[in-house]
Amino acid sequence: MARKILVGQVSSDKMAKTVVVMVERRRRHPIYHKVVRTTRRFKAHDENNSCRVGDTVRIEESRPLSKEKHWVVVEILERAHEA
């Protein structure tokens, strides 16, 4: 079975070798037919601590690395603009 791949934005990089990635999903409401945005937060392993808040990253499903960490950062697609 293929591993799941998601794209999202880094919302936190405060942990060692771990980032929190927010993945936004848009879907149509089944009754009201309005487009609804839902977000989910995933903890992902970042081996080199190279991700920063605001970066757009691609994450891939992996074996459980800790209690809540089951994803690995594959690549950084876009860097956040620095102030």
Side-chain angles (χ1 to χ4, degrees), residues 13-75:
D13 63 348
K14 303 237 182 267
M15 295 171 275
K17 296 190 177 187
T18 304
V19 291
V20 178
V21 180
M22 289 183 61
V23 176
E24 185 178 286
R25 187 176 144 226
R26 296 168 62 121
R27 64 179 190 88
R28 190 168 294 279
H29 192 278
I31 295 173
Y32 303 114
H33 305 295
K34 181 178 178 176
V35 176
V36 181
R37 292 185 336 186
T38 58
T39 57
R40 286 198 60 193
R41 292 163 48 102
F42 297 98
K43 288 189 174 77
H45 185 68
D46 179 22
E47 182 63 36
N48 302 323
N49 280 331
S50 56
C51 295
R52 296 290 165 247
V53 174
D55 290 353
T56 303
V57 295
R58 178 176 288 130
I59 57 174
E60 181 180 49
E61 193 176 32
S62 70
R63 65 179 179 83
L65 300 169
S66 69
K67 180 181 174 182
E68 296 178 338
K69 191 161 64 166
H70 308 114
W71 297 83
V72 175
V73 175
V74 177
E75 66 176 315

